[in-house]
Amino acid sequence: MSNVAGGSVAINRKAEIVARIANGEPLTSIASSLGYAGHAGIVERLGQDKDYQAAMVSGAHGKLEKRER
């Protein structure tokens, strides 16, 4: 289910994916909820995207802060 009419699910739902990553949700969980077997489909399509990369950094910082508490 990685493709839909007009493009891939990852590309079509980029804003949602980026927001969920920035909020610290695991990429595997996001991928599963979108019908991907694993997270590779998202990484292949969005891995070089600036918004995706920024969300990954933001999400990682949030996870670290939670662990420190």
Side-chain angles (χ1 to χ4, degrees):
M1 178 182 175
S2 61
N3 290 316
V4 295
S8 79
V9 172
I11 292 170
N12 291 334
R13 296 181 67 180
K14 174 188 156 186
E16 173 191 348
I17 293 168
V18 167
R20 290 170 70 180
I21 291 169
N23 285 328
E25 186 172 343
L27 188 54
T28 53
S29 174
I30 297 167
S32 177
S33 75
L34 297 175
Y36 284 99
H39 66 278
I42 292 174
V43 175
E44 288 172 7
R45 287 160 184 83
L46 299 178
Q48 299 303 310
D49 183 274
K50 300 281 186 202
D51 296 331
Y52 172 84
Q53 293 173 357
M56 291 296 284
V57 171
S58 177
H61 283 282
K63 287 177 186 177
L64 287 172
E65 288 177 359
K66 282 183 185 178
R67 287 184 185 151
E68 289 179 357
R69 285 185 224 144

